[in-house]
Amino acid sequence: ERMFVESIGPVLSSLKELKVKAEKEAKALSNEFSDTDPHRILSTTRDCGVSFAMALTHVMEGVLDLKHTMTLEEELREFHEYHKAIGSTHFSYLPSDEFASLNDYMEYLRSEIQLATFDVELNGGAQFRRLMNEVEIFLRFSEIAVETKKRDVLQARGVSMSNLTWRDVVVKLLSNEAHTPLQRRVQYVGERIKWFFERQKESVLEFMDSLKGTPSANMYSPLYPKHAKLIKQNEIIKHLLFQT
């Protein structure tokens, strides 16, 4: 009898915990049902998008302990694999013909340039700063890939009603020969930045979802955990945010 009485306490405590948990889940499901009502889904998606954009600012400012991090080698390999898979041909994959492969370019960044954060796993603003260093190095290789002949110089000078300086001749030659190579490198920079922000979306969602129940939650919007849960549970909202 004594053992039976003693065992009732833990059972009742467990039942109370289950009741509280079930009530919380029921309330959460009720809120989700209300927020994802067909008549409110547009407004809910817009609110989630606003929170998502605001949370990106915090991730770019630097958030510790996020799992979605990568080294520059991992970043470049994923970037190249992604664009080769979709057949991108509108930009240069390597900064110069002197690099036979991506491995040569990465070895140059690691050994020759000695990029300090090459092997450090980063995300957010720190990763973006490293990306900007890499694309700056990439653009430094912009040059005229063909030999300029005497005939081209004479042809570019031509005859003008006004004074035509040698500076004008050089501008003509560069416009003719250097425009396309530079354009392909600038497009590489654009694609790298675009790819970076697309990959940050998982980090932003992780940041929003990890705030619930933590001391740092009071430093940010209380809507972040709620909207993170909606994004993760509702495929329509997640698709709209991640494909934007």
Side-chain angles (χ1 to χ4, degrees):
E1 183 180 348
R2 181 174 56 82
M3 293 177 61
F4 175 76
V5 172
E6 291 176 350
S7 65
I8 291 179
V11 172
L12 291 175
S13 177
S14 177
L15 288 174
K16 288 179 181 178
E17 290 178 359
L18 289 173
K19 180 183 177 183
V20 172
K21 183 179 178 182
E23 288 176 348
K24 286 183 178 179
E25 290 179 353
K27 185 178 179 180
L29 289 172
S30 177
N31 290 335
E32 183 183 353
F33 178 80
S34 176
D35 290 334
T36 55
D37 183 273
H39 299 291
R40 294 188 56 189
I41 188 66
L42 180 60
S43 175
T44 301
T45 304
R46 188 182 293 114
D47 292 340
C48 289
V50 171
S51 292
F52 199 78
M54 291 174 62
L56 174 62
T57 302
H58 302 306
V59 172
M60 293 298 290
E61 289 173 349
V63 177
L64 300 175
D65 300 327
L66 293 181
K67 297 178 182 178
H68 293 87
T69 58
M70 59 178 62
T71 64
L72 184 56
E73 179 176 350
E74 294 170 341
E75 186 177 342
L76 288 172
R77 288 195 186 281
E78 284 191 25
F79 174 77
H80 279 240
E81 289 171 1
Y82 169 76
H83 279 283
K84 286 180 179 178
I86 64 175
S88 299
T89 58
H90 60 286
F91 65 89
S92 300
Y93 284 84
L94 297 172
S96 171
D97 294 336
E98 297 176 6
F99 298 103
S101 64
L102 176 61
N103 289 333
D104 289 348
Y105 178 48
M106 291 193 297
E107 184 60 29
Y108 171 76
L109 293 173
R110 179 189 282 113
S111 304
E112 296 293 329
I113 299 298
Q114 296 183 352
L115 208 59
T117 56
F118 188 93
D119 293 312
V120 181
E121 295 184 347
L122 301 173
N123 65 10
Q127 185 183 355
F128 184 76
R129 189 180 297 112
R130 182 179 63 189
L131 178 149
M132 296 307 293
N133 290 333
E134 185 266 319
V135 296
E136 180 184 347
I137 295 167
F138 192 97
L139 280 178
R140 289 177 188 172
F141 284 89
S142 300
E143 59 184 1
I144 299 179
V146 297
E147 182 181 352
T148 303
K149 300 178 181 178
K150 179 179 179 181
R151 175 182 175 278
D152 297 327
V153 176
L154 294 174
Q155 183 68 37
R157 191 174 187 197
V159 176
S160 175
M161 298 299 292
S162 59
N163 292 330
L164 186 68
T165 64
W166 285 110
R167 183 178 184 280
D168 298 326
V169 173
V170 172
V171 170
K172 279 187 180 181
L173 291 171
L174 289 175
S175 298
N176 184 57
E177 301 294 345
H179 179 73
T180 300
L182 180 60
Q183 184 183 46
R184 290 179 61 82
R185 285 171 173 79
V186 170
Q187 287 176 330
Y188 169 86
V189 175
E191 290 293 342
R192 285 282 283 119
I193 294 174
K194 175 185 175 182
W195 187 87
F196 164 79
F197 281 108
E198 288 178 345
R199 291 300 178 275
Q200 291 305 301
K201 292 181 179 180
E202 288 291 347
S203 297
V204 173
L205 185 57
E206 179 189 350
F207 163 69
M208 294 170 65
D209 191 45
S210 64
L211 289 174
K212 187 175 182 180
T214 63
S216 58
N218 295 327
M219 300 170 58
Y220 304 102
S221 170
L223 293 175
Y224 285 170
K226 175 186 176 182
H227 287 162
K229 186 175 182 180
L230 280 173
I231 294 169
K232 292 177 71 174
Q233 293 181 346
N234 192 293
E235 289 298 325
I236 296 176
I237 295 177
K238 185 174 183 179
H239 176 79
L240 290 173
L241 289 179
F242 274 59
Q243 297 303 317
T244 300

